[in-house]
Amino acid sequence: MGDQGQDPAPRPEAPAPVPVSELSEATALPTQQGETTTFVLPDAVVEGRGTDLVGTAASATEGIVGREELQRRPILRPGELLETVPGIVITQHSGAGKGNQFFLRGFNLDHGTDLAVRVNGIPNNLPSHGHGQGYLDLNYLIPELVETVRFRKGPYYADAGDFATAGSVSIDYADKLPSAMLLLEAGRFDFQRTLFADSMELGDGDLLFAFEAQHEDGPWEVEQDYLKLNGVVRYSTGNEAAGARYTALGYDATWTATDHIARRAVERGIIGRFGSLDSTSGGETARFALSADWWSESEDSRWDLTAYAYFYELDLYSNFTYALSDPVNGDQFLQRDERWVQGLEGAYEFSSDFGDVYAKHRAGFQFRSDIIDNGLFNSVRRSITSTTRNDDIWQMSFGLHFESEVFWTDWLRSTVGIRGDLYYFDVESDNDVNSGEEIDVLASPKAGLVFGPWADTEVYLQGGFGFHSNDARGTVLRDDPTTAALNDGDSVTPLVRQKGGEIGVRSTALEGLQSTLSVWYLDSDSELLFVGDAGNTEPTGATERYGVEWTNFYDANDWLQLDLDLAASEARFQDVNPDRVPNAVGTVAALGATVRFDAGHYFAVRGRYFGPRDLVEDGSVESSSSFLVNTHAGIRFSEDWQLRVSLFNVFDRDQSDIQYYYPSRLPGEPPGPDDGGFNDLHFHPAEPRSLRVALFARF
């Protein structure tokens, strides 16, 4: 059920029939053999971003990244695998065990809203989450097991539903390994990591298993004592024509967090740059999942079926305002989320022809149920003192999608699709006024045209409607739980309409260079979001975003690869003044170089520029920009032994991962104007220079 590429238009002359089972559907070529439609394709192996997608992609902003590039990137946190997607920035504003902060296409995506991510076919965004809508935690990823990262941007794909407006990403593990692997890694700030993975033939299939343990204190004055235990077992059988895959995983983590801190506390010498204003913030989380995939292909059709179920829990203690609400006990609060998630998805693909016009069709369904127990509590040193709200939620969604790709000529193909979604919300709150049920339905049409290829160049035109869901609690909210007033809550629209368009070009006309250029626009009817930190809703109004993206991957020769990705965007509220969208990403640049040596050694260096962002609506306060450089090297002693060295923040720059601007009150500080604290810049510093060394063995 992963993201799929699209089929090119040219029809080869008199090719030999090849069954679908021997082909990858991401690059299939339709043709006709008498009365039978088959698929013909040259062999393709995804090794890195160098995979040529001219003639196969539906847009300039979709792509595939393979194992080779993934294994040669410096990765500080597992979620940074997503930075292989051009234009994405991955940061952190709290402890290592908390979900990352994501930025893309003019969005501060917080912890995942409007960026849909699947891992091994399972949707990972968590709706109606205790900390934030669409919460996404990728800390359980094991980078060495990842086979491919597939990405698509924009609301143009019928099989991509909730949270996929800015983009969707599918991360897939390998089914088997060439040999057993053992990795022992250590580094600065008491970083230790051990990974053991292996696969073997078992019966008619392959059994893969892996176990990972990691500990890290980080540079913080309050040691984060992050401990992660992680395991995966997968059994796969069959082949591309027909088969099945069964996966089980377990993940558990605990940590103490250094949240973002007030700048004035550092300037006054109250704490250091890596200090904390609440040494008991932090959390614990766990995830246990089972999934199964089945598929089968024939000469002109294919079906896929995925079932999954998982248990997830998070207890997160945070304190962002210190002593603003409670000068005596402090403002620490606990956000709790515990849920069971079940889902079933299926898709059927088939082809048809009408004279010289050929078409491929894909129809499918997606069902998901989240049974959730979450709450918001006031706490002191991780002891609950009072309840802000506590809710039992059942959220169910059912989606149908259909898409047809028609090959009109050897230079024109079109895609037309539609998606329909039904959502049901049932909230039982500790305050009966905030209990209730809501149902919402939405239809989302999509369309696209591809012109070419001419001179190894294609032009794309796309448009479509998408959506994101709002928190179930927000849809039935009547009383704001943070105030004593009655009937002062603002309920939100369950499903928020979004629409966008894009024009793009993809070219491989210059030997070794793959380049894409796109201009895009995105309109959102509303960004009314439930704010888990406060237990109420925050109306932010309708917005529009637009921007340009330019990506380049250059195989200069057999030993040097270069890449450069540039993205610039604007985000504005509609019909509101001031109109700046706080923390919306503007300019992003990423550049890298990889040198490969004959003996199997390699050296990679990467730089990332994260531009300044407006922090308030009138643009009067702006974040600083950042530029970080990381390196990664591999030294191969033999086929079985390798040393890997990663150096992060090479120039040891004092920069911030994230910055916000809001009122807070330090312990012992006056209450401020109207008891509202003091507006200040709050930041989470980027980690200083650190070295990690790993011994990697195969046997």
Side-chain angles (χ1 to χ4, degrees), residues 70 129 193 437 468 492 616 671 687:
L70 296 171
H129 188 271
R193 177 174 178 248
E437 300 176 69
H468 71 233
V492 298
V616 294
E687 295 193 18

Side-chain angles (χ1 to χ4, degrees), residues 187-454:
R188 192 182 180 190
F189 308 126
D190 202 21
F191 177 89
Q192 303 109 25
R193 177 174 178 248
T194 300
L195 169 67
F196 175 75
D198 195 6
S199 64
M200 63 183 66
E201 293 184 1
L202 181 64
D204 295 329
D206 294 289
L207 179 68
L208 179 147
F209 52 91
F211 177 77
E212 177 191 34
Q214 178 178 323
H215 175 268
E216 181 184 4
D217 284 333
W220 323 111
E221 294 174 12
V222 177
E223 294 180 351
Q224 64 182 355
D225 193 23
Y226 174 52
L227 178 62
K228 173 172 71 173
L229 300 176
N230 200 9
V232 178
V233 177
R234 164 173 283 189
Y235 182 71
S236 56
T237 184
N239 51 39
E240 291 295 322
R245 181 186 298 115
Y246 308 93
T247 306
L249 65 86
Y251 164 69
D252 185 85
T254 60
W255 68 95
T256 298
T258 298
D259 291 323
H260 45 266
I261 54 177
R263 178 175 56 184
R264 66 188 186 280
V266 177
E267 293 175 343
R268 295 174 187 174
I270 298 173
I271 58 173
R273 176 175 171 80
F274 298 98
S276 173
L277 289 163
D278 188 336
S279 62
T280 62
S281 293
E284 54 185 339
T285 188
R287 180 191 301 260
F288 303 96
L290 295 172
S291 65
D293 299 279
W294 302 273
W295 63 91
S296 180
E297 292 182 349
S298 63
E299 287 279 329
D300 57 0
S301 66
R302 173 188 173 98
W303 62 263
D304 295 86
L305 188 65
T306 297
Y308 59 87
Y310 60 90
F311 171 78
Y312 165 89
E313 63 179 348
L314 170 71
D315 277 4
L316 183 64
Y317 295 88
S318 305
N319 188 346
F320 302 135
T321 53
Y322 321 121
L324 180 61
S325 300
D326 189 338
V328 176
N329 297 311
D331 294 353
Q332 188 185 87
F333 57 92
L334 163 65
Q335 294 165 310
R336 173 171 292 161
D337 191 282
E338 182 178 299
R339 71 180 63 208
W340 289 91
V341 183
Q342 306 87 34
L344 181 66
E345 302 185 357
Y348 179 69
E349 297 183 35
F350 60 99
S351 60
S352 62
D353 54 82
F354 305 93
D356 290 334
V357 177
Y358 300 88
K360 284 184 63 181
H361 316 283
R362 180 180 175 90
F365 71 92
Q366 296 167 338
F367 169 80
R368 174 171 173 171
S369 169
D370 288 64
I371 301 172
I372 310 165
D373 177 10
N374 63 19
L376 178 63
F377 311 91
N378 295 314
S379 60
V380 177
R381 301 186 65 84
R382 298 201 185 190
S383 294
I384 295 174
T385 57
S386 62
T387 300
T388 302
R389 69 177 299 163
N390 202 2
D391 304 273
D392 291 322
I393 302 168
W394 179 35
Q395 179 167 330
M396 184 274 292
S397 63
F398 182 75
L400 294 173
H401 57 87
F402 181 82
E403 192 171 70
S404 288
E405 185 180 18
V406 181
F407 300 82
W408 300 99
T409 70
D410 59 0
W411 56 267
L412 175 64
R413 50 193 163 102
S414 67
T415 301
V416 176
I418 189 165
R419 180 182 181 90
D421 287 276
L422 181 148
Y423 274 65
Y424 172 74
F425 307 90
D426 183 2
V427 179
E428 293 185 13
S429 179
D430 56 351
N431 180 354
D432 289 340
V433 176
N434 288 331
S435 299
E437 300 176 69
E438 283 289 338
I439 296 177
D440 202 358
V441 295
L442 199 64
S444 305
K446 333 268 186 174
L449 292 172
V450 181
F451 302 91
W454 299 295

Side-chain angles (χ1 to χ4, degrees), residues 609-613 615 622-626 654-656 659 681:
Y609 173 77
F610 187 19
R613 300 156 315 276
L615 298 182
E622 190 176 68
S623 76
S624 59
S625 61
S626 69
D654 289 339
Q655 299 184 334
S656 297
Q659 295 176 335
L681 185 123

Side-chain angles (χ1 to χ4, degrees), residues 23 42 109 139 142 145 155 250 263 330 365 384 388 410 465 508 511 516 518 562 565 615 621 652 659:
L23 307 176
L109 296 162
N139 285 301
I142 301 177
L145 298 185
R263 178 175 56 184
F365 71 92
I384 295 174
T388 302
D410 59 0
F465 291 81
T508 58
E511 183 177 358
T516 67
S518 64
L562 303 170
D565 302 326
L615 298 182
V621 181
D652 202 24
Q659 295 176 335

